[in-house]
Amino acid sequence: MAYAIMHFFPGGTKEQYEASIAAVHPSRNSLPKGQIFHLAGPSAGGWTIVAVHDSKESWEQFRDGVLMPQMQKGITGGFTKPPQETAFEVHNLQK
């Protein structure tokens, strides 16, 4: 079952997003293994990122194997604080 993650970075900026995504995605034109959807943009008071993975396990592999290690090392110009996270199993995904 698909699994969605929404991250809100209070005070986050486009520049921080661009630096962070460059560090954790394989390229600008491809998604990490298991990720099937990605969107991001400015929102009230910060920056929001929404990703959908093909399963919760896929999300956890990306989170634990790529995202968290990179964020713990620090990403020059990237987000400086952990996001507020909302995650849920997807009931309906239309493409």
Side-chain angles (χ1 to χ4, degrees), residues 42-93:
S43 54
W47 194 266
T48 298
I49 301 169
V50 178
V52 178
H53 281 256
D54 56 15
S55 67
K56 183 177 182 182
E57 293 76 23
S58 167
W59 156 245
E60 290 171 344
Q61 289 173 356
F62 173 71
R63 179 194 65 202
D64 298 344
V66 177
L67 182 62
M68 291 310 297
Q70 284 292 340
M71 292 193 78
Q72 288 170 349
K73 284 194 298 188
I75 299 170
T76 302
F79 296 115
T80 58
K81 297 178 185 173
Q84 297 170 5
E85 181 177 290
T86 302
F88 58 94
E89 289 186 359
V90 176
H91 170 73
N92 183 20
L93 175 64

Side-chain angles (χ1 to χ4, degrees), residues 1 3 7 9 11 14 18 21-22 24 28-29 38 41 43-44 46 54-56 59 61 75 77 87 89 92-93:
M1 177 176 285
Y3 195 74
H7 284 155
F9 291 88
K14 177 182 176 184
E18 293 294 341
I21 204 72
V24 300
R28 189 68 171 159
N29 299 317
H38 178 96
S43 54
D54 56 15
S55 67
K56 183 177 182 182
W59 156 245
Q61 289 173 356
I75 299 170
E89 289 186 359
N92 183 20
L93 175 64

